[in-house]
Amino acid sequence: MDFNEVRPGYLKSSEKTIKIHISELKIGMYVSKLDRPWLETPFLMQGFMIESLDDIDAVAEYAQHVWIDAVGEEWVAPEERAAVKGQAKKVSYINKIDAKAEHAAAMDTYREARRLTRSLLDDLRLGGVINSEQAKSTVKECVHSILRNSDALIWMSKIRTQDEYTAEHCLNVCILAIAFGRHLGMSEGDLERLGLCGLLHDVGKMRVQPEVLHKPASLTEKEFNMMKAHTVHGRNLLMSSPGIPNSTIDVAYSHHERIDGTGYPRGLSSSGISEFAKIIAIVDAYDAMTADRCYSPSIPSTEALKIIFKDRGTHFDDRLGLEFIKSVGLYPPGTLVELVNGLIAIVFETNSKYRHLPKVIAVKKQDAKLEKNVLVDLSGVERGSLDKSFLIKRALNDGSFGVYIKDYREQGLALG
């Protein structure tokens, strides 16, 4: 049987690796290795399926030979096959304006959305109910910004204030979920519904005692059970608030369920977890890992994506986990990076063609602050206008080398 042929009801599974010339590459093949260093390419992970002729053309730009995995067959459960077949037709989006033009509007959108999110959570903390119209209005503004250009608002989501973690986390999950939904090709209506799920997924934490919610050490078993109860509290709060969609209630209740059935509160497995809940589970984990929390320091985006890659198929949905990694990219907007030449920079805008070569704002040379913040398009390395010392050496945690993202929001984006 040819390794590209798969019978109905079966999925491809790796058996052996074969070296081939790029001219032999076909749709359906799984590329596991290239003939050049991985970091010199825009591909997000070492290993991907060829799904279109465009994929073949993209690989051909960077390699003459590739290694592919010859594949056999693996049976897939009917409900999983049905989920794939039943997906809605994708909507294609393009950025209507560039990130620099969207930044001023995105900053205003983020400030107002953060204020409204804090107000929503404060009302709940004091025993009130959710103002559903206010929440929907907040999400709608975020959707509009992300549809104009997703990079600007994602940049804002990197700005953290530890004493406002829960409010900022809820808003950031909303923003990242909308951007992910855009990548998946969801309709504008579904983006608004998904964004509302992200904004309100953790409202149940307003019913968890502050000393447990903000404890800077490991929780006892009793305290952990109190924390896990936020999913039940969230469901109950949303059910008692008029105008909240059922999908939002479900996500608040189910976003800690795991694909392998080891999550909480009900121990659901993959087929019992909604698509929105699977998406918010991934986004929730990513935003939490990349933020400083009272009990755990942040890790760089690249490290968080590695964890999601490792835990796909157990904690997270396999397909959605891989799509999220593609959506976020190696260096999302707002990521602090160090270049090979020692420049410290903030990623300003992604590059759809060269994902490893974004536009960055250079702010520092190791310990010396630059006279001006300079916008540098790193794709110049590929075009020959910049040398290879402008490649990104590594992603950094916010605050490394004394550079904090929030300072640059407060100063404005004055570029030389």
Side-chain angles (χ1 to χ4, degrees):
M1 179 178 179
D2 182 81
F3 64 78
N4 285 309
E5 181 186 347
V6 180
R7 292 179 292 162
Y10 286 75
L11 189 68
K12 300 174 184 178
S13 61
S14 178
E15 289 183 347
K16 60 181 179 178
T17 302
I18 301 170
K19 182 181 179 181
I20 65 170
H21 189 268
I22 193 70
S23 63
E24 300 176 79
L25 197 57
K26 298 177 182 178
I27 294 172
M29 291 182 175
Y30 186 88
V31 177
S32 58
K33 185 181 176 184
L34 305 176
D35 62 0
R36 67 182 290 180
W38 202 255
L39 290 177
E40 293 180 10
T41 76
F43 306 116
L44 298 180
M45 61 194 85
Q46 189 163 354
F48 54 88
M49 189 73 74
I50 297 295
E51 298 176 342
S52 68
L53 293 176
D54 288 342
D55 290 345
I56 296 176
D57 290 342
V59 175
E61 287 187 37
Y62 294 93
Q64 290 187 331
H65 292 88
V66 298
W67 283 255
I68 62 165
D69 287 356
V71 294
E73 299 177 333
E74 177 183 334
W75 185 77
V76 182
E79 63 270 17
E80 296 297 326
R81 298 201 301 271
V84 173
K85 288 181 180 178
Q87 289 171 14
K89 185 178 180 180
K90 287 186 176 182
V91 179
S92 295
Y93 296 102
I94 60 170
N95 287 335
K96 298 175 182 177
I97 60 177
D98 65 28
K100 189 174 181 180
E102 177 61 18
H103 252 269
M107 189 178 295
D108 289 341
T109 297
Y110 186 81
R111 284 172 175 160
E112 180 62 9
R114 189 172 63 167
R115 184 189 69 78
L116 291 172
T117 303
R118 283 200 306 260
S119 175
L120 284 169
L121 296 183
D122 286 344
D123 287 347
L124 286 176
R125 192 179 291 112
L126 296 172
V129 296
I130 293 168
N131 183 332
S132 61
E133 292 308 311
Q134 181 177 302
K136 291 174 183 176
S137 175
T138 298
V139 171
K140 190 181 288 285
E141 288 303 312
C142 292
V143 169
H144 289 166
S145 176
I146 286 169
L147 291 185
R148 288 192 297 266
N149 186 303
S150 61
D151 286 351
L153 201 57
I154 290 176
W155 201 98
M156 301 299 159
S157 75
K158 295 292 182 181
I159 299 163
R160 312 279 190 173
T161 307
Q162 191 168 336
D163 58 358
E164 295 182 8
Y165 172 78
T166 301
E168 290 182 348
H169 173 65
C170 287
L171 178 55
N172 291 348
V173 171
C174 167
I175 292 168
L176 292 169
I178 294 167
F180 185 26
R182 172 184 151 144
H183 167 82
L184 293 173
M186 291 183 177
S187 68
E188 187 169 341
D190 277 345
L191 293 180
E192 291 179 6
R193 285 182 280 275
L194 179 61
L196 190 65
C197 290
L199 187 70
L200 302 179
H201 78 288
D202 262 351
V203 294
K205 287 184 176 178
M206 298 303 97
R207 293 290 186 267
V208 177
Q209 293 179 11
E211 58 269 24
V212 174
L213 187 62
H214 304 299
K215 185 177 179 180
S218 298
L219 300 178
T220 65
E221 183 178 357
K222 180 180 179 182
E223 289 169 337
F224 186 50
N225 287 334
M226 293 169 66
M227 181 67 80
K228 288 196 295 185
H230 82 273
T231 56
V232 178
H233 295 317
R235 178 199 62 182
N236 295 342
L237 282 168
L238 293 173
M239 287 180 69
S240 64
S241 300
I244 298 296
N246 289 336
S247 57
T248 308
I249 298 169
D250 170 71
V251 167
Y253 195 31
S254 305
H255 66 280
H256 282 290
E257 301 288 359
R258 292 178 175 176
I259 300 303
D260 61 5
T262 62
Y264 65 86
R266 292 172 288 173
L268 301 177
S269 58
S270 178
S271 60
I273 307 171
S274 69
E275 183 91 344
F276 278 9
K278 290 174 181 177
I279 289 172
I280 297 302
I282 295 169
V283 178
D284 176 40
Y286 171 81
D287 186 72
M289 287 188 283
T290 55
D292 283 324
R293 290 168 285 176
C294 56
Y295 56 88
S296 176
S298 65
I299 61 175
S301 174
T302 47
E303 295 303 311
L305 294 179
K306 286 179 184 177
I307 292 171
I308 290 171
F309 183 81
K310 175 178 67 70
D311 289 343
R312 75 198 197 288
T314 53
H315 292 190
F316 309 115
D317 180 87
D318 196 348
R319 176 183 66 87
L320 290 172
L322 292 177
E323 287 297 331
F324 182 73
I325 292 168
K326 293 178 187 177
S327 169
V328 170
L330 287 170
Y331 308 110
T335 301
L336 190 65
V337 295
E338 180 183 5
L339 308 188
V340 172
N341 58 20
L343 283 173
I344 308 302
I346 302 167
V347 176
F348 181 70
E349 186 175 6
T350 55
N351 185 324
S352 59
K353 186 174 182 181
Y354 306 111
R355 299 299 292 270
H356 63 309
L357 298 171
K359 291 181 181 178
V360 302
I361 304 169
V363 298
K364 209 168 187 182
K365 177 79 179 230
Q366 296 289 6
D367 294 327
K369 192 171 181 180
L370 300 181
E371 290 184 13
K372 292 182 178 180
N373 300 331
V374 182
L375 184 64
V376 184
D377 186 350
L378 300 187
S379 66
V381 174
E382 198 66 35
R383 299 193 307 272
S385 59
L386 295 174
D387 62 48
K388 288 191 175 182
S389 72
F390 281 87
L391 288 171
I392 293 176
K393 179 180 179 180
R394 56 175 173 156
L396 302 168
N397 284 330
D398 187 26
S400 299
F401 294 96
V403 177
Y404 293 90
I405 305 299
K406 65 180 178 65
D407 293 340
Y408 287 85
R409 180 200 66 180
E410 291 163 2
Q411 295 170 11
L413 292 169
L415 303 174

